[in-house]
Every structure is written in structure tokens, then in C-alpha cells.
Amino acid sequence: MLAVVPPPVTVRVPAKVNLHLSVGDVRPDGYHELVTVFQALSLTDEVTVAVTEDPGVEVYGEGEGSVPTGANNLAWKAAQALAAHIGKADGESKVRVVLRKGIPVAGGMAGGSADAAATLVGLASLWKLDISRDELAGIAAKLGSDVPFALYGGTALGTGRGEQLVPVLSRHTFHWVLAFDQRGLSTPRVFGELDKLREEGSPPRIGSHTPVVEALASGDPRQLALLLGNDLQAAAVSLRPGLRRTLRAGVNAGALAGTVSGSGPTCAFLCADAQSAVEVAAELSGAGVCRTVRVAHGPVPGARLVGGDDAPRPSPPRVHA
Ligand SMILES: C[C@](O)(CO)[C@H](O)COP(=O)(O)OP(=O)(O)OC[C@H]1O[C@@H](n2ccc(N)nc2=O)[C@H](O)[C@@H]1O
Ligand SMILES: Nc1ncnc2c1ncn2[C@@H]1O[C@H](COP(=O)(O)OP(=O)(O)OP(=O)(O)O)[C@@H](O)[C@H]1O
């Protein structure tokens, strides 16, 4: 009898920016206690999973040629983790994972985490699993601190090491310009640099997240711009001093404010509206301070099947009387 091979499944998944990232003390397990406000942006990766006789990972776009395609790829680890969670034997879980990456690698925008989250959602559909997003989030948290947020998207408050999430009301679409740097920065190295800076002196520490949550509820980008803050910024700038120039250039180009995204080195600039974002992007592109510039908006949903059951449905055609 012929086995029926299910068709491949594609998932679109967002990058994140941390609107607020307060880093506490280092814990006995080596992680730092965080309080962060995440926002998911329209800058995305697409991940296709398919049943195959030739398992492995392919990478196209950002990071093509440098992102590992073997067992170290976070998407591959996600596939292994889901197979183990449901008790699928090795022979039954042969998959090919194709990553089309728009999110910069080691850019502080959680690109690898996004691919892991997308792989979980894609395989849950490919393997027809009856599994909730909350159950997937339990697997996601073991893969990395940023993986659960990529599953849910939107705007959320993250605590613990960033994996414990509650949604935050966000009333507005915010418009961003993203400046990608020439090279990535290693997340553990940036946390390590912050520890070093704190041993040597007192780098600035941001305050409470409450005003940011209030600004999101008000929907006013000018109010939010005054409150963007990231404790890792001093460490990222210490490792990559050129980021100071990038941050200045974005504001000089007309952005309301700029911040290093997560552990950097991507800089995220909040703009007054969509038109302003296009203008800031054009000017920043010509300033010679970064590799490339992208416009994005947020919040957007987390990992979603493309053209599948949980994809947003197109509006019905308008009927004229
Ligand atoms: C900087 C952020 O992107 C902010 O959202 C995240 O905290 C990083 O999340 P991530 O890349 O998913 O990080 P993980 O894969 O969980 O951890 C990578 C490394 O970053 C450091 N790390 C990460 C998260 C955290 N709360 N404290 C840490 O010190 C640790 O050295 C850890 O070994
Ligand atoms: N699917 C993947 N995409 C990108 N990088 C991956 C992937 N799998 C493993 N990696 C490795 O992980 C490292 C960090 O990549 P990633 O793009 O997730 O960093 P990041 O966006 O700075 O992460 P975060 O913002 O969560 O700290 C890369 O240098 C790469 O070697």
C-alpha cells in the first residue's frame, strides 16, 4: 500500500524588539533575571517543514552560508525536542526544514528563536498533533529564553529569564526602522560584558516597566519614544562603539528615538508614523552607518501557518448594490 505523504507546511514568524529590557542579577544557573516588554515586528522568517527521506536544514537569505545547518541549528533542535516530547521514533520523524531568513543573524532580534518557534508550529501541523500553543511554549522555553515569545507574538511582558509571558495591551500600530550592522554580536558575550561593566562601575539601569505599559495602552508613539530603554545597550556599545554613531544618525534622520534591540547590534528606531519611517529609512541608508536598513511595524502575531487554517483570512469581497 502507498503511504500518503502530507504536503509541506510553511510558517511565518516575527522578529522581536525589546521596548524595555531591565537586567537584574545573574542567577546560580548563569541566566540573568529579566523584566522586558517585547514587541513582535513585521520583519519575518519563513520556515517550511516537509516529510522527507533526506533529513536536514537549508538556510537562505540572512545568514546563508554562516548559520549552521546541522544539529546546532535551533530549528533542528526544536524538531528533535518536539519529536521527543510526543515520543516519535527517529525513523518516523524524518523532516527537512527550509529557513528563508529576513531576520538578521546574531542581531538581537531573536532570529534563531523565531525559527525554533516556527518549526514547532509547522511540525505540529505536519504531524497533525493535538497540542496547544501553551504546551508548545513549555518545549519552547527549554530551547531558549526568547522562543516562547515568538510563538505568541503581539506585545508581552516577559519575566524570569524572559520566558514567562503575559500579554500587554497595545492600542496602536507602531512604525520602526531597523539598522542591521555588518556583523552580529554573541548574546552570552553581551551579558558577560554587562557583568564586567557592573563590577567595574555603575552603568545606567533603567527603571520600572510600568510607564512603558501605560504608553502602549495610550498608543502615542511620542510618549513611548521617551521611555525606550535597554540595560544591555551599554554593554553592546562597549563591544561595538560604532553603535553610538548609528543611534545618533537615526535620530538625526528624524526618528523619535532609537534603542539597541536586545543584545544588539541591530538598532531599532521608533518613528511618528509610516511615512516618517520611510523617510528615516531613506536617510539612514545614505548615512553609511550600517549594512542595511528595513522598515517594519508592530505588533504582529506570533508564528502562523501561511495559507493554513490559523492564517488571517482575507476580507470577503465588497458587494456593491
Ligand atoms: C537578550 C534577549 O534577546 C532579550 O530578549 C534574551 O535575553 C536572549 O534570549 P536568547 O537568545 O533566547 O538566550 P538563551 O539562548 O536563552 O541564552 C543564551 C545565553 O544568554 C545569556 N542569558 C540569556 C537570557 C537571560 N535571561 N540571561 C542570560 O544571561 C546566558 O549567557 C545564556 O547562556
Ligand atoms: N535558525 C537559526 N538562525 C540563526 N542563527 C542560528 C540558528 N540556529 C542556530 N543559530 C546560531 O545562533 C547564533 C545566534 O543567532 P540568532 O540570530 O538567534 O541571534 P539573536 O537574534 O541575537 O538572538 P537573541 O535576540 O534571541 O539573543 C548564530 O550566530 C548562529 O550561529
Side-chain angles (χ1 to χ4, degrees), residues 68 72-74 99 101 105-113 115 146 187 263:
N72 281 337
N73 194 293
L74 207 51
L99 309 178
K101 293 185 63 68
V105 172
M109 303 201 74
S113 306
D115 299 340
D146 282 339
T187 304
S263 52

Side-chain angles (χ1 to χ4, degrees), residues 153-219:
T155 308
L157 178 68
T159 54
R161 56 185 172 83
E163 87 290 12
Q164 292 163 27
L165 300 171
V166 284
V168 166
L169 175 72
S170 180
R171 263 194 211 291
H172 188 83
T173 293
F174 294 94
H175 297 276
W176 296 90
V177 171
L178 305 164
F180 295 5
D181 205 3
Q182 303 293 348
R183 284 167 300 121
L185 268 176
S186 137
T187 304
R189 201 164 156 233
V190 177
F191 275 101
E193 182 70 9
L194 180 63
D195 292 340
K196 194 184 108 202
L197 294 177
R198 284 179 173 174
E199 272 165 36
E200 292 167 357
S202 333
R205 278 184 193 252
I206 59 170
S208 153
H209 64 280
T210 311
V212 172
V213 171
E214 286 166 0
L216 285 162
S218 84

